[in-house]
Amino acid sequence: MTATDRSIELIQAAAQAAADKLAHDVIAYDVSDVLSITDAFLLASAPNDRQVKSIVDEIEERLLKELGAKPVRREGDRDARWVLLDYVDIVVHVQHSEERVFYALERLWKDCPEIALPDDAVATRGKADEHARAQAAEGDLDGDLS
């Protein structure tokens, strides 16, 4: 079994929306062969809670406006550390960067095929590492000035 065309369409629109809101490390997996509850997962992260919320809101708005899709469930809003949008056909995980590293969902799904994403979404790969290095360098500079 493989992800449906509708699932791919939803994933690609959600990935583009996430990239437009500067998400980090956007990736999608076709999990249809190993899960019966959904076809695909989209993973994205952000360095702070406010950006997690912004990405989630943009994905929801874009999928509703462009594809008429509404999530059947939205979890994790209160803390905005890991927000899950369940569209039945796909599940979107937007995580704070720290949760992304800790839970490492990519390790769980690494044997599943990746779904091709728009170029903007692919370009987000490695952004979390770049951001962490920049923050560390900024911290070093702050330390030198004190």
Side-chain angles (χ1 to χ4, degrees):
M1 192 166 172
T2 185
T4 64
D5 290 342
R6 174 68 172 171
S7 298
I8 302 294
E9 182 180 38
L10 290 167
I11 284 285
Q12 290 178 338
Q16 184 62 55
D20 289 349
K21 286 296 181 176
L22 307 178
H24 295 169
D25 302 319
V26 179
I27 192 165
Y29 294 102
D30 180 339
V31 296
S32 61
D33 282 340
V34 294
L35 291 177
S36 60
I37 58 171
T38 192
D39 281 350
F41 280 164
L42 180 75
L43 310 176
S45 56
N48 60 62
D49 302 351
R50 181 180 289 171
Q51 192 173 358
V52 167
K53 285 182 180 183
S54 177
I55 293 165
V56 168
D57 290 345
E58 182 66 18
I59 290 170
E60 248 191 309
E61 185 178 314
R62 182 94 46 104
L63 293 186
L64 180 60
K65 191 161 99 175
E66 292 180 5
L67 302 171
K70 288 177 70 171
V72 296
R73 187 172 64 219
R74 180 175 171 155
E75 295 182 11
D77 270 343
R78 188 176 40 195
D79 297 329
R81 301 290 291 180
W82 182 350
V83 180
L84 181 142
L85 296 172
D86 183 352
Y87 286 89
V88 180
D89 294 328
I90 70 166
V91 176
V92 177
H93 300 267
V94 182
Q95 298 175 296
H96 189 285
S97 298
E98 293 170 359
E99 271 69 14
R100 180 86 179 256
V101 170
F102 183 79
Y103 289 101
L105 295 179
E106 290 92 339
R107 281 187 296 160
L108 292 173
W109 307 112
K110 70 178 184 234
D111 293 333
C112 295
E114 275 189 49
I115 296 173
L117 298 177
D119 291 341
D120 291 343
V122 172
T124 67
R125 308 269 171 89
K127 293 291 184 188
D129 289 338
E130 286 176 28
H131 180 69
R133 281 192 298 275
Q135 291 297 103
E138 190 174 292
D140 289 345
L141 288 176
D142 290 344
D144 290 342
L145 296 174
S146 298

